Amino acid sequence: ACDLMNQGILALVSSIGCTSAGSLQSLADAMHIPHLFIQRSTAGTPRSGCGLTRSSRNDDYTLSVRPPVYLNDVILRVVTEYAWQKFIIFYDNDYDIRGIQEFLDKVSQQGMDVALQKVENNINKMITGLFATMRIEELNRYRDTLRRAILIMNPATAKSFLTEVVETNLVAFDCHWIIINEEISDVDVQELVRRSIGRLTIIRQTFPVPQNISQRCFRGNHRISSSLCDPKDPFSQSMEISNLYIYDTVLLLANAFHKKLEDRKWHSMASLTCIRKNSKPWQGGRSMLETIKKGGVNGLTGELEFAENGGNPNVHFEILGTNYGEDLGRGIRKLGCWNPVTGLNGSLTDRKLENNMRGVVLRVVTVLEEPFVMVSENVLGKPKKYQGFSIDVLEALATYLGFKYEIYVAPDHKYGSPQDDGSWNGLIGELVFKRADIGISALTITPDRENVVDFTTRYMDYSVGVLLRKAEKTVDMFACLAPFDLSLWACIAGTVLLVGLLVYLLNWLNPPRLQMGSMTSTTLYNSMWFVYGSFVQQGGEVPYTTLATRLMMGAWWLFALIVISSYTANLAAFLTITRIENSIQSLQDLSRQTDIPYGTVLDSAVYEHVRVKGMNPFERDSMYSQMWRMINRSNGSENNVLESTAGIQKVKHGNYAFVWDAAVLEYVAINDAECSFYTVGNTVADRGYGIALQHGSPYRDVFSQRILELQQNGDMDVLKHKWWPKNGQCDLYSSVDTKQKGGALDIKSFAGVFCILAAGIVLSCFIAMLETWWNKRKGSRVPSKEDDKEIDLEHLHRRVNSLCTDDDSPHKQFSTSSIDLTPLDIDTLPTRQALEQISDFRNTHITTTTFIPEQIQTLSRTLSAKAASGFSFGSVPEHRTGPFRHRAPNGGFFRSPIKTMSSIPYQPTPTLGLNIGSDPDRGTSI
């Protein structure tokens, strides 16, 4: 550059790398020589930003002919459009990785998982080293990483790398790779497409070409060689972009010099010595720089012009792509374009996978598991039809995407587990060996499975549950006694006896005044009967008039009210609420007990989950170690089953608990005809159910996106409610054998009440027979005077009427109700007041009431001596007469203030004659 300046120059054009660009910028700024810098990358490797420093606008004489590096912006936009979340970036030795630092920072902020790997010059050696150092699990994870990749390398290296990874089977037809480089020709594009499988996206810089062929080689007044302006010419195809910018730069300078000559503002060429310190800069440098910046040219790279900051803003990127496929040499089409002003123009989404999979037929492998997959129709000669929750999810995906499917059951009816030789059996094995496209059932997402197959996002949460048989409800015949404890019942019975005894003693110490015609006496039997009747709220017949007795009964009635009210309230609760009697209510409870054996399906995901956690010495929860000891008895053959249906039947017919998927167990418990199951489990969902696909399947992302949409709009909840209704016929969590019916009580709840009634009837019949026998035995003996305490009222009726012989009117009529009458010594009652008193003969415990009618005094009549002497009680030498009282309102006679308890209708007679001497029953005491 110094030699050129010594010779004399008007401007300096350089096409070099970033390393030397800084030195030339310093020299041009010092000498005031316009410097047109064209960045060149090594061997077609993508450019990295040079980062030229600009001190101030007046001192900056360097213009960047090539546009800034927009690779960061283009890659971010494309990756966002494809919705990638995990991918790897490959770059070659010549690329400066610092060029995409801005892109890495942005994707890291968005939570994307990005890996970086440098591609060595010897690609075959690098791939061979991967197979030699990686285990099978690591190699499978590496294959999964290669499903989404970005290649930042020159076209030659990209071709070799694609060839190696395809031939070594590191990628499958479902992979999607992006190759970005400004220096990719049409020939390179065709070669890259031919060597790749899966989906390929190519991003390269493009230049606008005039539609009119005759105008392609004319740029203003300049004619361009046909070998350069024809896009299909082999020479133009092999030219690097930096050379195209050099061509346009020369055109730009030629136009600037021509303009200077036209304006007569030409400056002599600078002849400078840049080595000497006292060298002065060129005086015409600023004027020449402004002329170049204001000028522009339409060349091979399109419009070449400069902005205020000295850069070229005109750049266009073309995005080419193919669809998924296994065929090599597929056609490629333009998907869109990108520029700094308008951004992305076009859609990069593969429409076939988004919402149009019509014509695609997928082969689906499944395992029967209620309620996820069940056979709904099995007609001989026709394909089986299936139903279930997982089938509903698959049908929703097929309806939206438009594909069809064929379902078959895994030959061994297993979900799949790794074998000794590293292969897989069951449903997972069908996908690994590519005999099926997708697998769906009650399939949980586990790390081991995800190493060999792909999973969609979870469409339902998963948790481990336990199925147990409900405890049979025992028949409690005496449930009516349950509200009170046995000790409380004993206290109540003792209290009844004690209060009855106290009432009797109080009345014995202070006898009450009984009314005329009272039919009861204050015996111990009557006191006990009265206390018991008041306790059961049936009342009593013994009138207690003393203050002490009434206080006692008031306290007793309050006590009885509280006891009966409490009993009634607790009885309703005991008869309507079912208490939980089973002690197993969680996985922790199950692991702590050994009375009920439990197990799961051998070699299933649940079995492996318990085994891994149970054998992990660093596991904090001892629950899994305890469960593993029970499940692994006899190497797992004692308590485990081969299929889930066998485990359910084992629970139903024996003392066994089945550990399995909580969703499956809940469905079984809800739909059991006898409602004999209940479930317990862990409420924390650490995994989920997903749809399994072949490793590298192109349908994973679109299936996952559609599942998320079903969850967001509530359709997934509708499908769940179809198979797991909230109001099922059986109670999932009740450990006793009851159905969810109303609060009606059955005969079992009241069997004890009927037993008590039956016992009372039997006892009363026995007592009646005993009394009959006793009375007959007593009647065979001659009654003594002391035993003759009562007489038959019919006999009394005839006796009294026979005494009234002097009156032709109807005789007095006495009630036939039972009245206790005792001997009365008339000699001790000489006056009217004495006759009205009540005599209590304590030696016989018999209360006596006098019935002396006073109606004769009102009617101005008197009893004759014969009539008066008719009332004989024992040996009485003399009998007195007394006046009758008024008739009571009820028709009987009473002595105020005591209420009359029996009525004796009376009609007066002219003469009453009583012959004591001729009375055969004179010795009868009443």
Side-chain angles (χ1 to χ4, degrees), residues 3-40:
D3 293 339
L4 292 175
M5 290 180 184
N6 291 334
Q7 296 175 12
I9 59 175
L10 296 175
L12 178 64
V13 178
S14 65
S15 179
I16 56 178
C18 293
T19 305
S20 303
S23 301
L24 288 180
Q25 182 186 14
S26 300
L27 179 61
D29 292 345
M31 295 293 102
H32 292 188
I33 299 296
H35 175 211
L36 281 74
F37 168 61
I38 304 171
Q39 183 182 358
R40 180 182 294 273

Side-chain angles (χ1 to χ4, degrees), residues 175-194:
C175 70
H176 185 185
W177 283 19
I178 298 175
I179 302 177
I180 183 169
N181 195 333
E182 297 169 323
E183 303 277 354
I184 298 180
S185 63
D186 292 342
V187 177
D188 295 331
V189 169
Q190 295 297 331
E191 189 66 20
L192 290 171
V193 172
R194 188 184 66 83

Side-chain angles (χ1 to χ4, degrees), residues 828-892:
T828 61
L829 304 174
T831 62
R832 171 183 174 184
Q833 289 77 11
L835 291 176
E836 297 178 5
Q837 294 181 355
I838 301 171
S839 299
D840 187 6
F841 294 85
R842 297 183 180 179
N843 56 346
T844 60
H845 300 283
I846 299 176
T847 304
T848 304
T849 305
T850 59
F851 295 90
I852 308 300
E854 301 178 5
Q855 190 66 20
I856 298 176
Q857 182 179 3
T858 306
L859 301 175
S860 302
R861 291 186 179 183
T862 59
L863 290 174
S864 64
K866 183 179 179 179
S869 62
F871 294 94
S872 174
F873 301 89
S875 299
V876 182
E878 184 178 0
H879 302 279
R880 297 178 176 86
T881 61
F884 283 88
R885 287 195 175 186
H886 299 281
R887 184 181 297 271
N890 59 1

